Amino acid sequence: MIETLNNECFCVSLDPEALRRAVEADPAARGLSRLIEERCPNLFAALPVFVSRQGVEAMASVIGAVEEVVALPAYRAEALAGAAATALHDSGARGVFLGYDFHIGPQGPRLIEINTNAGGALLNAVLGRAQRACCEDVARLVSGPIPPDRLERAFFDMFAEEWDAAGRAGLPRRVAIVDDSPEQQFLYPEFLLFAQLFRRFGAEASVLAPEQLTFVSGELRDTGGRVDLVYNRMTDFALGDPAHAPIRQAYLSGAAVVTPHPRAHALYADKRNLAILTDEVRLRRWGVREETIAVLLGGIPRTEIVSRADAERLWSDRRRLFFKPAAGHGSKAAYRGDKLTRRVWSEILDGRYVAQERVPAGERQISAGTALKTDIRNYVYAGEVQLLAARLYQGQTTNMRTVGGGFAPVLTTPASVESDRMECTPHAEPA
C-alpha cells in the first residue's frame, strides 16, 4: 500500500500561497518568502512522502536503541577517546536537533547517519502548515508526534530545557544564531525564522557570524551586549577554528549555553560511532540487552572504520559499500564505492573514513516516468522524535537543488489507529 501511495497518490500538494502566508505569519517576516523563492527555489517538494506506521515505529525503535547505548559509560569512553578536547567538556545541555537519517527499503528503515546540527526543522514546521489535501483519507494522516501548530512552541521549549539543563534559571534573554558567513548559507532563511521564533517568546535574537562575537571579562558579547545562548549552526564541530575562539571560550567557561556542541557531535554524529553500534561482539561485552542489539544490527547498515590493513578487502567489496568521512556533513566527500577511482581511493585511505553497507534510498513518483530518491529525517531531542521530514533528490546524495525535490512532509496513520491501512484514489498529477 505504501509503495502504491508513493507511486500513484497526488492528493496532497503544496499550496504556494498557503506557504507564503505560513512563512510571513509574523509581520517581521514580510519578504522572507520571496527570499526563499530566490535563494532556494527547490527547497520544498510539491508532494509528501508516505511511510507506514510500522516504519515510523521501527525508526523510533532504532533511535531508542542508539540512545540506550549512548548512555553507557563504556560507549561514552570509547566515543570520546578519539574526540577533540572540547568534546570532553560537559555543559549539561544535551544538544538540539539531532537528525537521524534513514533510507527505507524492502527490509524496512535503515539508519545511515546521525547529525547534530540538522537543518530544516523550522522550515518543515512551516511546510506542514501549508500542505493541502483534496481527499478525506489523506487529510487524516499525520506528519509527526507533535501537531504542526504546536511545533514552534515545542522548539522554543527545547531551547529553554537546554538552558535549564545547563544550570540556568529563568530563560535566556539574548540569543545568537551563529554560522560562518550566515547570509551566504543555503538555509539562511531558516536562521531568520529562528530569530523571529525566539523574539515571539520574549528573547532578543540575532543572526551573526562568529567574527561578530567577542569574549570579554568572562562574557560572550556582540555589539548589543551579553549573549546568553548560542544556537550553533556551524560545521566546525570541535570549535577549533581560531575565528571561533570566543564561542569556544564561552562554551568551556560556561559563560554562555552553546547548543549543539562538541560533546554532542562526538557522542552521536562522528560516523565512526556507527561502527561501534554495529559491532555485535563489543555490544555484548558491554552488557547491552539482546533485544537492543537485534534492533541495532537490523536497523543500521554494517559500518567499519577504513584502515590500510583492510584496504585490499574493502577495495574488492567497494561496489556494495558507501564511504563517508568520519566528521563529514552535507554528504561532502562521500562516495559510492562503485563510482570510486584509484585516486579517490588513495585519498580515502589517507583520511579518516568509514565504509558502510550501501542501502538504496526509497523513491517517490512525482510525475509519469519521473521518480526521485527519498531519505527520511527524524528530528530528535532527548531521545524523543519531534518531527518527521523527507528529502527528495536526484543523484548520489541529497542536494536540495533537484527540480521537483526538496523537503517534503512525511505522512502516516495516527498512532491511535490500529490498522496500517492507507487509501487514496489515484488522482491526476499536480500541475
Side-chain angles (χ1 to χ4, degrees):
M1 177 57 69
I2 293 300
E3 184 177 353
T4 300
L5 287 169
N6 283 322
N7 286 337
E8 300 179 9
C9 185
F10 304 106
C11 290
V12 185
S13 61
L14 179 61
D15 183 337
E17 180 58 26
L19 178 61
R20 186 192 65 78
R21 291 195 302 269
V23 169
E24 302 194 3
D26 186 332
R30 286 176 184 160
L32 186 54
S33 60
R34 180 176 296 177
L35 177 64
I36 292 175
E37 292 168 5
E38 292 174 353
R39 294 274 297 273
C40 322
N42 301 305
L43 185 60
F44 297 117
L47 297 171
V49 173
F50 296 92
V51 177
S52 70
R53 170 56 50 184
Q54 182 182 17
V56 169
E57 292 174 351
M59 289 188 287
S61 293
V62 174
I63 292 165
V66 171
E67 294 284 350
E68 183 179 328
V69 174
V70 169
L72 295 175
Y75 171 90
R76 292 184 167 238
E78 183 76 17
L80 294 172
T86 47
L88 303 181
H89 175 68
D90 186 357
S91 67
R94 296 183 178 90
V96 297
F97 291 123
L98 283 178
Y100 283 76
D101 294 344
F102 289 82
H103 283 177
I104 299 183
Q107 305 306 314
R110 308 289 297 281
L111 176 67
I112 58 170
E113 63 184 40
I114 306 172
N115 295 287
T116 47
N117 60 352
L122 191 49
L123 288 166
N124 278 291
V126 171
L127 178 62
R129 298 200 306 269
Q131 289 295 135
R132 66 184 180 191
C134 64
C135 72
E136 186 176 343
D137 286 326
V138 173
R140 289 197 296 262
L141 302 181
V142 297
S143 59
I146 301 175
D149 59 347
R150 299 182 195 169
L151 270 170
E152 293 186 7
R153 175 81 230 191
F155 291 161
F156 179 80
D157 288 346
M158 171 178 60
F159 283 96
E161 191 169 333
E162 290 287 270
W163 182 253
D164 181 69
R168 309 302 178 89
L171 293 171
R173 296 179 60 187
R174 301 191 71 244
V175 177
I177 300 140
V178 180
D179 202 349
D180 294 298
S181 304
E183 293 185 4
Q184 305 305 313
Q185 297 296 331
F186 182 73
L187 292 183
Y188 175 62
E190 184 175 53
F191 301 170
L192 299 177
L193 286 173
F194 268 110
Q196 292 153 17
L197 172 67
F198 286 118
R199 292 174 195 140
R200 281 202 301 277
F201 288 101
E204 297 178 42
S206 302
V207 178
L208 300 173
E211 294 82 3
Q212 294 174 277
L213 295 165
T214 58
F215 187 71
V216 180
S217 301
E219 291 183 343
L220 184 67
R221 303 180 65 86
D222 64 9
T223 56
R226 187 186 71 204
V227 171
D228 299 314
L229 185 145
V230 173
Y231 175 24
N232 173 25
R233 295 291 294 247
M234 299 184 297
T235 55
D236 173 19
F237 302 116
L239 298 178
D241 191 305
H244 305 154
I247 298 172
R248 181 173 64 252
Q249 290 172 291
Y251 168 63
L252 295 175
S253 67
V257 175
V258 178
T259 183
H261 45 66
R263 187 177 184 86
H265 183 271
L267 291 174
Y268 288 94
D270 188 310
K271 293 174 180 58
R272 292 173 296 183
N273 295 339
L274 296 171
I276 300 175
L277 293 168
T278 56
D279 186 339
E280 182 177 1
V281 173
R282 180 163 16 190
L283 295 173
R284 192 165 283 117
R285 187 171 68 244
W286 288 346
V288 177
R289 296 182 304 126
E290 290 297 325
E291 307 94 294
T292 301
I293 293 174
V295 170
L296 292 171
L297 298 182
I300 306 176
R302 189 178 187 281
T303 307
E304 63 178 299
I305 297 171
V306 173
S307 69
R308 288 193 173 275
D310 296 317
E312 185 176 343
R313 174 177 59 82
L314 291 171
W315 175 259
S316 177
D317 292 343
R318 68 189 183 282
R319 289 178 178 81
R320 64 175 188 82
L321 299 173
F322 205 99
F323 295 88
K324 302 177 181 182
H329 62 91
S331 302
K332 294 180 179 178
Y335 303 99
R336 275 179 47 163
D338 57 350
K339 305 291 186 182
L340 281 183
T341 64
R342 283 286 187 179
R343 179 188 61 79
V344 172
W345 179 236
S346 178
E347 294 173 359
I348 288 173
L349 291 176
D350 288 337
R352 296 193 306 164
Y353 270 75
V354 299
Q356 184 179 74
E357 174 191 347
R358 187 157 62 89
V359 179
E363 288 191 343
R364 174 51 157 129
Q365 199 84 11
I366 63 167
S367 63
T370 303
L372 297 183
K373 297 176 183 177
T374 65
D375 74 354
I376 308 298
R377 170 165 287 177
N378 289 246
Y379 293 94
V380 175
Y381 180 67
E384 299 295 326
V385 178
Q386 298 171 309
L387 173 68
L388 295 166
R391 292 178 292 181
L392 276 61
Y393 64 100
Q394 284 179 328
Q396 179 171 293
T397 56
T398 54
N399 51 40
M400 309 304 290
R401 290 174 172 80
T402 300
V403 175
F407 285 121
V410 170
L411 298 184
T412 188
T413 51
S416 59
V417 175
E418 293 183 8
S419 172
D420 205 27
R421 185 169 174 261
M422 297 184 189
E423 292 187 355
C424 176
T425 302
H427 283 60
E429 296 167 20

